[in-house]
Amino acid sequence: MRILYLHQHFSTPSGSTATRAFHHAGALAAAGHRVTLACGRYDGAVTGLSGALHHGRRQGQVAGFEVVEFDIRCGNAQGLVARSLAFLRFALAASRLALRPAPGDPAGRRWDLIIASSTPPTVAIPALLARRLRGTPFIFEVRDPWPELPAALSRQGTAVPKPVLAAIGRLADAACRQAASVVALTEGIARLALARGADPDRVRVLPQGADLVLFHPGIAPWRPPEVPTQEVLAVYAGAHGPANGLHQLLDAAARLRHTGLRIVLVGEGAEKPALMARAAAEDLPVTFLDPMPKAHLARLLAAAEVGLLCLAPVPEFAEWTAPNKLAEGLASGLPMVTNVPGRAARLLAAGGCGLAVPPGDADALAAALLALATDPPRRRAMARAARLVAERQLDTRRIAARLVAVVEAVAGRAPRRAAPRRDQTAA
């Protein structure tokens, strides 16, 4: 099949951001499909392309599939208007690609299938246009539910205008109803897709996974040289934005002075300057590191004793999020401490591989960290359980294989429709 994979924030493992699309596109290519992945230029991402940009884009082979990278910068540090414009610019560029013949096809044939991976939800625009104008079926992958999560954050003070939320809601409704299949990262996201009109028989839950070879407790460890070797390291690796609620970790650190435990925060975001200033002013046992490639992060996790999953105390996060840091920490054999209830807490409890505390409770968070820092046998038992949970449930290769099965099932039950008559003359 000729597959167009739309993922604006795509990165290879050489970057510091999520690599789900890299593994999924690679699995589709390995299964014999011709995959073209279209992306923008996301902060922290590394697409694998290094050639010059011509007319606002560049393309080339990466890991067995074609990558088309548009010169459209996007990142969490941008304001709402700048990010919204980046989303719309990418949707326009991807729409042109979706409506043209598949590149490199000598017969000039069109795409057999489009995969639109959200966020941002605007990736659904080219998929919907191609379905209407070309009869191309599409799979809608929901990694973060919009407008539900932005609406929840708006109630916490991160305002998104109501007309924007309403427009995103209509787009999400159309994508869920018209998709040949909807792929959700959690059961909670799947329920939202059903509420938006998705066919129950065409909704699949494919969780967030980790590369079990890259993230492994047995790889060569690396510790920041400025951190004393005798300290117990608890590592958080991810965005430093309002949604992450990292001041809760600093609240816990204030209670953990002189205990031999150090919190390491890896990443970037709008909140980082304030976090660093507070940690310095209060002399907290906290170290800040810049974002790093996945291979380097894996070595840091291999040197750590505890992994951290922290989010702001927003109730909707409980069932609607699937953070990379949870899967990668467990794959690294780290007992996890989290303040996120719901799905993450259930996974840790069932696997015996971590501790969950109530959101916003700095005393409980500090107590959980101290309990693991001062009990090496318990920590080691949880570490073994963490790796086992990752092997059984979070292997990105198995999850990618399930996506290949979804794609091939869609192709089998969704034969191409002839393009509408009015479009045949315009093509």
Side-chain angles (χ1 to χ4, degrees):
M1 282 192 293
R2 299 171 296 277
I3 299 171
L4 177 60
Y5 198 141
L6 305 178
H7 190 295
Q8 186 166 352
H9 302 339
F10 168 76
S11 180
T12 69
S14 296
S16 60
T17 62
T19 57
R20 179 179 174 95
F22 171 81
H23 293 290
H24 287 190
L28 287 164
H33 303 295
R34 295 180 57 182
V35 180
T36 297
L37 189 146
C39 64
R41 306 187 71 184
Y42 189 62
D43 289 353
V46 175
T47 64
L49 300 181
S50 58
L53 289 144
H54 297 287
H55 304 294
R57 59 183 274 180
R58 61 184 171 186
Q59 66 186 80
Q61 283 283 313
V62 175
F65 55 92
E66 189 80 3
V67 172
V68 177
E69 178 185 354
F70 294 105
D71 189 14
I72 301 171
R73 180 184 169 268
C74 187
N76 290 328
Q78 291 176 314
L80 176 63
V81 173
R83 291 182 71 198
S84 299
L85 288 175
F87 295 164
L88 292 173
R89 288 179 60 208
F90 180 80
L92 177 61
S95 294
R96 295 192 186 103
L97 189 60
L99 295 175
R100 291 173 181 166
D105 192 299
R109 292 170 293 184
R110 295 176 179 143
W111 306 103
D112 296 306
L113 178 73
I114 293 174
I115 301 173
S117 186
S118 169
T119 57
T122 42
V123 296
I125 294 173
L128 287 164
L129 285 173
R131 183 183 183 276
R132 179 172 183 177
L133 299 178
R134 301 290 188 263
T136 309
F138 71 93
I139 292 173
F140 186 48
E141 180 180 55
V142 187
R143 292 177 289 116
D144 293 304
W146 286 43
E148 289 84 0
L149 278 186
L153 288 170
S154 291
R155 292 193 291 272
Q156 302 292 319
T158 307
V160 177
K162 289 184 178 179
V164 174
L165 294 175
I168 295 172
R170 290 191 292 272
L171 180 61
D173 286 345
C176 287
R177 291 171 181 166
Q178 298 184 40
S181 184
V182 176
V183 171
L185 267 66
T186 73
E187 292 79 3
I189 295 175
R191 288 191 290 271
L192 290 176
L194 293 173
R196 290 194 172 279
D199 183 341
D201 292 333
R202 297 185 178 183
V203 176
R204 298 291 181 268
V205 177
L206 301 184
Q208 188 68 271
D211 184 335
L212 300 190
V213 176
L214 181 60
F215 291 93
H216 192 287
I219 67 173
W222 174 84
R223 289 171 65 97
E226 67 272 21
V227 173
T229 57
Q230 70 273 17
E231 288 189 333
V232 172
L233 298 188
V235 176
Y236 168 92
H240 292 37
N244 307 103
L246 298 185
H247 278 284
Q248 297 170 92
L249 292 182
L250 269 59
D251 292 340
R255 294 157 171 79
L256 294 168
R257 292 187 184 91
H258 314 301
T259 63
L261 185 139
R262 176 166 295 273
I263 294 174
V264 178
L265 302 181
V266 185
E268 272 294 348
E271 295 285 297
K272 187 168 184 176
L275 292 165
M276 294 181 69
R278 178 187 167 189
E282 299 180 21
D283 193 25
L284 300 179
V286 178
T287 294
F288 293 86
L289 299 176
D290 291 335
M292 56 185 66
K294 291 292 184 180
H296 195 178
L297 174 62
R299 293 184 62 203
L300 173 63
L301 295 181
E305 284 78 24
V306 179
L308 289 167
L309 170 59
C310 181
L311 286 172
V314 177
E316 289 81 358
F317 284 162
E319 305 297 340
W320 295 351
T321 58
N324 296 304
K325 57 188 71 67
L326 177 61
E328 292 169 356
L330 293 173
S332 299
L334 288 179
M336 299 294 296
V337 172
T338 184
N339 64 353
V340 184
R343 179 182 174 275
R346 291 194 301 271
L347 181 66
L348 298 183
C353 53
L355 302 173
V357 302
D361 190 336
D363 288 330
L365 185 55
L369 286 167
L370 188 60
L372 291 181
T374 57
D375 191 346
R378 183 185 187 192
R379 207 167 61 226
R380 288 192 291 269
M382 283 190 169
R384 291 190 293 269
R387 178 65 187 187
L388 188 60
V389 167
E391 290 173 351
R392 289 178 174 174
Q393 301 182 45
L394 305 174
D395 184 348
T396 193
R397 292 169 299 181
R398 294 180 182 175
I399 296 167
R402 290 168 59 189
L403 177 74
V404 173
V406 171
V407 165
E408 293 176 347
V410 166
R413 68 171 178 253
R416 294 186 59 79
R417 295 187 291 111
R421 183 178 300 277
R422 64 177 180 275
D423 183 57
Q424 290 175 348
T425 57

